Amino acid sequence: MLLALPLLLAAGSRHRSTIVRHAVAGANDAATDTWHRDAVAATAAWALWIAAVNLCPFARKSLETSDAISYVVTEADNQKAFYAAAVACARDLAAASDVDPTAAIVFLVAPFYEPDDFPAFLRSVEALEDDVMPEASDDAIQIAGFHPAWAFGGVPDDDPLHFEKRAPHPTVSLVLVDGLEHANSAKIAADNERTLSQLGVDAVARAFAGFVSSD
């Protein structure tokens, strides 16, 4: 069952009038829907912070473009179900005709899929990117993984850079490749590292703790 619900971002946000599309996979009662809404609220708060500190040059445009962002919460707790949810999101995004392709983004939030095992989640995302997604969407979709315990190899534990890829829940973002035509990934990475270093690990960690506690 797929239940589509509008979500109004928190009052006080500079984007408080933004409406995002919220899709709940498997929601069939009020309690479940409330929990899913909380997961979306935490992810939406995180996305607003990403835009506010400019960690992603596309985030602000996506937030300010009508109907550009969709949040899909899946209850998948195994690889097969997680991949099926990602493929469904990719196909829906590739087929969408009513959203600006340079701003469209889907966040697939999977709270039950490897929430405590980052290496396993990372292996799944890599396989999804390399083997599953190209076949499912004819290379039209690019994905990126995020995890609450994301850690870059060879980077000190207290380096704020890890927060570039941390989200309140295991999450995959899906965007249209056409929308990334002019992206300079090396510059984005360098800018993100500089931004996070300037903010400092304490400030970034406090912000992240707020997203997690809001769930």
PDB file of all heavy atoms in Angstrom, residues 59-84:
ATOM      1  N   ALA A  59      20.383  21.454  -3.023  1.00  0.00           N
ATOM      2  CA  ALA A  59      19.386  21.302  -1.973  1.00  0.00           C
ATOM      3  C   ALA A  59      18.443  22.500  -1.886  1.00  0.00           C
ATOM      4  O   ALA A  59      17.228  22.339  -1.780  1.00  0.00           O
ATOM      5  CB  ALA A  59      20.068  21.071  -0.626  1.00  0.00           C
ATOM      6  N   ARG A  60      19.007  23.689  -1.929  1.00  0.00           N
ATOM      7  CA  ARG A  60      18.157  24.871  -1.801  1.00  0.00           C
ATOM      8  C   ARG A  60      17.171  24.972  -2.959  1.00  0.00           C
ATOM      9  O   ARG A  60      15.991  25.277  -2.774  1.00  0.00           O
ATOM     10  CB  ARG A  60      19.020  26.137  -1.734  1.00  0.00           C
ATOM     11  CG  ARG A  60      18.205  27.388  -1.418  1.00  0.00           C
ATOM     12  CD  ARG A  60      19.118  28.591  -1.322  1.00  0.00           C
ATOM     13  NE  ARG A  60      20.149  28.403  -0.313  1.00  0.00           N
ATOM     14  CZ  ARG A  60      19.941  28.586   0.996  1.00  0.00           C
ATOM     15  NH1 ARG A  60      18.749  28.940   1.417  1.00  0.00           N
ATOM     16  NH2 ARG A  60      20.912  28.411   1.851  1.00  0.00           N
ATOM     17  N   LYS A  61      17.640  24.707  -4.182  1.00  0.00           N
ATOM     18  CA  LYS A  61      16.747  24.770  -5.336  1.00  0.00           C
ATOM     19  C   LYS A  61      15.632  23.741  -5.202  1.00  0.00           C
ATOM     20  O   LYS A  61      14.463  24.024  -5.504  1.00  0.00           O
ATOM     21  CB  LYS A  61      17.521  24.538  -6.630  1.00  0.00           C
ATOM     22  CG  LYS A  61      16.638  24.601  -7.863  1.00  0.00           C
ATOM     23  CD  LYS A  61      17.435  24.466  -9.146  1.00  0.00           C
ATOM     24  CE  LYS A  61      16.525  24.580 -10.364  1.00  0.00           C
ATOM     25  NZ  LYS A  61      17.267  24.470 -11.641  1.00  0.00           N
ATOM     26  N   SER A  62      15.980  22.541  -4.736  1.00  0.00           N
ATOM     27  CA  SER A  62      14.965  21.499  -4.574  1.00  0.00           C
ATOM     28  C   SER A  62      13.924  21.909  -3.553  1.00  0.00           C
ATOM     29  O   SER A  62      12.719  21.704  -3.745  1.00  0.00           O
ATOM     30  CB  SER A  62      15.633  20.186  -4.157  1.00  0.00           C
ATOM     31  OG  SER A  62      16.503  19.718  -5.165  1.00  0.00           O
ATOM     32  N   LEU A  63      14.372  22.519  -2.444  1.00  0.00           N
ATOM     33  CA  LEU A  63      13.446  22.942  -1.400  1.00  0.00           C
ATOM     34  C   LEU A  63      12.544  24.075  -1.855  1.00  0.00           C
ATOM     35  O   LEU A  63      11.406  24.191  -1.407  1.00  0.00           O
ATOM     36  CB  LEU A  63      14.222  23.371  -0.155  1.00  0.00           C
ATOM     37  CG  LEU A  63      14.827  22.221   0.666  1.00  0.00           C
ATOM     38  CD1 LEU A  63      15.872  22.761   1.618  1.00  0.00           C
ATOM     39  CD2 LEU A  63      13.746  21.482   1.431  1.00  0.00           C
ATOM     40  N   GLU A  64      13.050  24.917  -2.734  1.00  0.00           N
ATOM     41  CA  GLU A  64      12.285  26.087  -3.168  1.00  0.00           C
ATOM     42  C   GLU A  64      11.475  25.845  -4.435  1.00  0.00           C
ATOM     43  O   GLU A  64      10.740  26.733  -4.872  1.00  0.00           O
ATOM     44  CB  GLU A  64      13.244  27.262  -3.366  1.00  0.00           C
ATOM     45  CG  GLU A  64      13.893  27.720  -2.065  1.00  0.00           C
ATOM     46  CD  GLU A  64      14.912  28.831  -2.259  1.00  0.00           C
ATOM     47  OE1 GLU A  64      15.286  29.086  -3.426  1.00  0.00           O
ATOM     48  OE2 GLU A  64      15.338  29.428  -1.253  1.00  0.00           O
ATOM     49  N   THR A  65      11.597  24.646  -5.008  1.00  0.00           N
ATOM     50  CA  THR A  65      10.844  24.307  -6.216  1.00  0.00           C
ATOM     51  C   THR A  65       9.622  23.480  -5.838  1.00  0.00           C
ATOM     52  O   THR A  65       9.745  22.474  -5.140  1.00  0.00           O
ATOM     53  CB  THR A  65      11.717  23.511  -7.204  1.00  0.00           C
ATOM     54  OG1 THR A  65      12.857  24.300  -7.558  1.00  0.00           O
ATOM     55  CG2 THR A  65      10.941  23.159  -8.462  1.00  0.00           C
ATOM     56  N   SER A  66       8.461  23.890  -6.280  1.00  0.00           N
ATOM     57  CA  SER A  66       7.213  23.223  -5.923  1.00  0.00           C
ATOM     58  C   SER A  66       7.238  21.743  -6.297  1.00  0.00           C
ATOM     59  O   SER A  66       7.578  21.378  -7.434  1.00  0.00           O
ATOM     60  CB  SER A  66       6.039  23.911  -6.630  1.00  0.00           C
ATOM     61  OG  SER A  66       4.824  23.259  -6.354  1.00  0.00           O
ATOM     62  N   ASP A  67       6.899  20.894  -5.319  1.00  0.00           N
ATOM     63  CA  ASP A  67       6.758  19.450  -5.524  1.00  0.00           C
ATOM     64  C   ASP A  67       8.045  18.764  -5.979  1.00  0.00           C
ATOM     65  O   ASP A  67       7.997  17.666  -6.524  1.00  0.00           O
ATOM     66  CB  ASP A  67       5.653  19.147  -6.536  1.00  0.00           C
ATOM     67  CG  ASP A  67       4.267  19.457  -6.005  1.00  0.00           C
ATOM     68  OD1 ASP A  67       4.099  19.421  -4.777  1.00  0.00           O
ATOM     69  OD2 ASP A  67       3.374  19.744  -6.808  1.00  0.00           O
ATOM     70  N   ALA A  68       9.197  19.375  -5.735  1.00  0.00           N
ATOM     71  CA  ALA A  68      10.449  18.777  -6.212  1.00  0.00           C
ATOM     72  C   ALA A  68      10.938  17.650  -5.320  1.00  0.00           C
ATOM     73  O   ALA A  68      11.620  16.742  -5.784  1.00  0.00           O
ATOM     74  CB  ALA A  68      11.535  19.844  -6.340  1.00  0.00           C
ATOM     75  N   ILE A  69      10.623  17.711  -4.032  1.00  0.00           N
ATOM     76  CA  ILE A  69      11.131  16.715  -3.084  1.00  0.00           C
ATOM     77  C   ILE A  69      10.029  15.745  -2.699  1.00  0.00           C
ATOM     78  O   ILE A  69       8.916  16.144  -2.371  1.00  0.00           O
ATOM     79  CB  ILE A  69      11.683  17.379  -1.817  1.00  0.00           C
ATOM     80  CG1 ILE A  69      12.841  18.323  -2.166  1.00  0.00           C
ATOM     81  CG2 ILE A  69      12.171  16.324  -0.832  1.00  0.00           C
ATOM     82  CD1 ILE A  69      13.477  18.972  -0.962  1.00  0.00           C
ATOM     83  N   SER A  70      10.377  14.463  -2.731  1.00  0.00           N
ATOM     84  CA  SER A  70       9.488  13.420  -2.216  1.00  0.00           C
ATOM     85  C   SER A  70      10.236  12.629  -1.156  1.00  0.00           C
ATOM     86  O   SER A  70      11.423  12.326  -1.318  1.00  0.00           O
ATOM     87  CB  SER A  70       9.042  12.473  -3.336  1.00  0.00           C
ATOM     88  OG  SER A  70       8.224  13.123  -4.267  1.00  0.00           O
ATOM     89  N   TYR A  71       9.544  12.317  -0.062  1.00  0.00           N
ATOM     90  CA  TYR A  71      10.095  11.454   0.975  1.00  0.00           C
ATOM     91  C   TYR A  71       9.295  10.152   0.948  1.00  0.00           C
ATOM     92  O   TYR A  71       8.070  10.177   1.039  1.00  0.00           O
ATOM     93  CB  TYR A  71       9.968  12.105   2.352  1.00  0.00           C
ATOM     94  CG  TYR A  71      10.761  13.376   2.504  1.00  0.00           C
ATOM     95  CD1 TYR A  71      10.207  14.609   2.170  1.00  0.00           C
ATOM     96  CD2 TYR A  71      12.065  13.344   2.964  1.00  0.00           C
ATOM     97  CE1 TYR A  71      10.940  15.777   2.291  1.00  0.00           C
ATOM     98  CE2 TYR A  71      12.797  14.511   3.100  1.00  0.00           C
ATOM     99  CZ  TYR A  71      12.233  15.716   2.763  1.00  0.00           C
ATOM    100  OH  TYR A  71      12.959  16.872   2.888  1.00  0.00           O
ATOM    101  N   VAL A  72       9.982   9.041   0.823  1.00  0.00           N
ATOM    102  CA  VAL A  72       9.337   7.738   0.830  1.00  0.00           C
ATOM    103  C   VAL A  72       9.915   6.934   1.979  1.00  0.00           C
ATOM    104  O   VAL A  72      11.136   6.738   2.064  1.00  0.00           O
ATOM    105  CB  VAL A  72       9.554   6.984  -0.499  1.00  0.00           C
ATOM    106  CG1 VAL A  72       8.914   5.593  -0.436  1.00  0.00           C
ATOM    107  CG2 VAL A  72       8.976   7.772  -1.663  1.00  0.00           C
ATOM    108  N   VAL A  73       9.070   6.490   2.886  1.00  0.00           N
ATOM    109  CA  VAL A  73       9.507   5.699   4.029  1.00  0.00           C
ATOM    110  C   VAL A  73       9.159   4.238   3.776  1.00  0.00           C
ATOM    111  O   VAL A  73       8.002   3.915   3.509  1.00  0.00           O
ATOM    112  CB  VAL A  73       8.841   6.176   5.331  1.00  0.00           C
ATOM    113  CG1 VAL A  73       9.318   5.340   6.511  1.00  0.00           C
ATOM    114  CG2 VAL A  73       9.134   7.647   5.577  1.00  0.00           C
ATOM    115  N   THR A  74      10.156   3.386   3.817  1.00  0.00           N
ATOM    116  CA  THR A  74       9.922   1.962   3.629  1.00  0.00           C
ATOM    117  C   THR A  74      10.182   1.205   4.927  1.00  0.00           C
ATOM    118  O   THR A  74      11.081   1.567   5.691  1.00  0.00           O
ATOM    119  CB  THR A  74      10.811   1.381   2.517  1.00  0.00           C
ATOM    120  OG1 THR A  74      10.594  -0.035   2.432  1.00  0.00           O
ATOM    121  CG2 THR A  74      12.278   1.634   2.770  1.00  0.00           C
ATOM    122  N   GLU A  75       9.410   0.170   5.169  1.00  0.00           N
ATOM    123  CA  GLU A  75       9.622  -0.676   6.333  1.00  0.00           C
ATOM    124  C   GLU A  75      10.520  -1.863   6.003  1.00  0.00           C
ATOM    125  O   GLU A  75      10.636  -2.807   6.796  1.00  0.00           O
ATOM    126  CB  GLU A  75       8.280  -1.150   6.876  1.00  0.00           C
ATOM    127  CG  GLU A  75       7.428  -0.006   7.416  1.00  0.00           C
ATOM    128  CD  GLU A  75       6.091  -0.459   7.973  1.00  0.00           C
ATOM    129  OE1 GLU A  75       5.803  -1.670   7.905  1.00  0.00           O
ATOM    130  OE2 GLU A  75       5.352   0.398   8.475  1.00  0.00           O
ATOM    131  N   ALA A  76      11.183  -1.822   4.862  1.00  0.00           N
ATOM    132  CA  ALA A  76      12.070  -2.909   4.452  1.00  0.00           C
ATOM    133  C   ALA A  76      13.129  -3.173   5.522  1.00  0.00           C
ATOM    134  O   ALA A  76      13.760  -2.246   6.027  1.00  0.00           O
ATOM    135  CB  ALA A  76      12.748  -2.545   3.133  1.00  0.00           C
ATOM    136  N   ASP A  77      13.306  -4.453   5.838  1.00  0.00           N
ATOM    137  CA  ASP A  77      14.347  -4.823   6.802  1.00  0.00           C
ATOM    138  C   ASP A  77      15.281  -5.888   6.234  1.00  0.00           C
ATOM    139  O   ASP A  77      16.021  -6.536   6.975  1.00  0.00           O
ATOM    140  CB  ASP A  77      13.715  -5.314   8.112  1.00  0.00           C
ATOM    141  CG  ASP A  77      12.838  -6.547   7.925  1.00  0.00           C
ATOM    142  OD1 ASP A  77      12.718  -7.033   6.774  1.00  0.00           O
ATOM    143  OD2 ASP A  77      12.289  -7.038   8.928  1.00  0.00           O
ATOM    144  N   ASN A  78      15.239  -6.058   4.919  1.00  0.00           N
ATOM    145  CA  ASN A  78      16.145  -6.990   4.265  1.00  0.00           C
ATOM    146  C   ASN A  78      16.510  -6.425   2.901  1.00  0.00           C
ATOM    147  O   ASN A  78      15.852  -5.516   2.382  1.00  0.00           O
ATOM    148  CB  ASN A  78      15.516  -8.384   4.131  1.00  0.00           C
ATOM    149  CG  ASN A  78      14.245  -8.367   3.312  1.00  0.00           C
ATOM    150  OD1 ASN A  78      14.272  -8.294   2.085  1.00  0.00           O
ATOM    151  ND2 ASN A  78      13.094  -8.404   3.994  1.00  0.00           N
ATOM    152  N   GLN A  79      17.573  -6.974   2.320  1.00  0.00           N
ATOM    153  CA  GLN A  79      18.091  -6.404   1.083  1.00  0.00           C
ATOM    154  C   GLN A  79      17.083  -6.473  -0.056  1.00  0.00           C
ATOM    155  O   GLN A  79      16.935  -5.511  -0.820  1.00  0.00           O
ATOM    156  CB  GLN A  79      19.377  -7.123   0.687  1.00  0.00           C
ATOM    157  CG  GLN A  79      20.107  -6.459  -0.467  1.00  0.00           C
ATOM    158  CD  GLN A  79      21.411  -7.155  -0.793  1.00  0.00           C
ATOM    159  OE1 GLN A  79      21.414  -8.208  -1.422  1.00  0.00           O
ATOM    160  NE2 GLN A  79      22.512  -6.578  -0.346  1.00  0.00           N
ATOM    161  N   LYS A  80      16.393  -7.575  -0.192  1.00  0.00           N
ATOM    162  CA  LYS A  80      15.444  -7.722  -1.290  1.00  0.00           C
ATOM    163  C   LYS A  80      14.366  -6.639  -1.241  1.00  0.00           C
ATOM    164  O   LYS A  80      14.058  -5.994  -2.252  1.00  0.00           O
ATOM    165  CB  LYS A  80      14.799  -9.107  -1.260  1.00  0.00           C
ATOM    166  CG  LYS A  80      13.821  -9.355  -2.391  1.00  0.00           C
ATOM    167  CD  LYS A  80      13.248 -10.765  -2.325  1.00  0.00           C
ATOM    168  CE  LYS A  80      12.261 -11.007  -3.466  1.00  0.00           C
ATOM    169  NZ  LYS A  80      11.691 -12.394  -3.401  1.00  0.00           N
ATOM    170  N   ALA A  81      13.802  -6.423  -0.058  1.00  0.00           N
ATOM    171  CA  ALA A  81      12.741  -5.423   0.084  1.00  0.00           C
ATOM    172  C   ALA A  81      13.300  -4.008  -0.091  1.00  0.00           C
ATOM    173  O   ALA A  81      12.648  -3.143  -0.692  1.00  0.00           O
ATOM    174  CB  ALA A  81      12.074  -5.571   1.447  1.00  0.00           C
ATOM    175  N   PHE A  82      14.501  -3.773   0.419  1.00  0.00           N
ATOM    176  CA  PHE A  82      15.130  -2.466   0.278  1.00  0.00           C
ATOM    177  C   PHE A  82      15.388  -2.148  -1.195  1.00  0.00           C
ATOM    178  O   PHE A  82      15.096  -1.042  -1.668  1.00  0.00           O
ATOM    179  CB  PHE A  82      16.437  -2.455   1.071  1.00  0.00           C
ATOM    180  CG  PHE A  82      17.227  -1.186   0.950  1.00  0.00           C
ATOM    181  CD1 PHE A  82      16.718   0.026   1.395  1.00  0.00           C
ATOM    182  CD2 PHE A  82      18.505  -1.208   0.404  1.00  0.00           C
ATOM    183  CE1 PHE A  82      17.465   1.191   1.294  1.00  0.00           C
ATOM    184  CE2 PHE A  82      19.258  -0.051   0.299  1.00  0.00           C
ATOM    185  CZ  PHE A  82      18.738   1.155   0.751  1.00  0.00           C
ATOM    186  N   TYR A  83      15.911  -3.115  -1.936  1.00  0.00           N
ATOM    187  CA  TYR A  83      16.163  -2.908  -3.355  1.00  0.00           C
ATOM    188  C   TYR A  83      14.864  -2.682  -4.120  1.00  0.00           C
ATOM    189  O   TYR A  83      14.791  -1.843  -5.018  1.00  0.00           O
ATOM    190  CB  TYR A  83      16.909  -4.106  -3.943  1.00  0.00           C
ATOM    191  CG  TYR A  83      18.392  -4.128  -3.626  1.00  0.00           C
ATOM    192  CD1 TYR A  83      18.953  -3.207  -2.750  1.00  0.00           C
ATOM    193  CD2 TYR A  83      19.225  -5.078  -4.190  1.00  0.00           C
ATOM    194  CE1 TYR A  83      20.292  -3.233  -2.452  1.00  0.00           C
ATOM    195  CE2 TYR A  83      20.583  -5.108  -3.904  1.00  0.00           C
ATOM    196  CZ  TYR A  83      21.110  -4.189  -3.025  1.00  0.00           C
ATOM    197  OH  TYR A  83      22.449  -4.208  -2.738  1.00  0.00           O
ATOM    198  N   ALA A  84      13.825  -3.435  -3.764  1.00  0.00           N
ATOM    199  CA  ALA A  84      12.540  -3.277  -4.443  1.00  0.00           C
ATOM    200  C   ALA A  84      11.990  -1.866  -4.232  1.00  0.00           C
ATOM    201  O   ALA A  84      11.460  -1.243  -5.160  1.00  0.00           O
ATOM    202  CB  ALA A  84      11.542  -4.320  -3.934  1.00  0.00           C
TER     203      ALA A  84
END
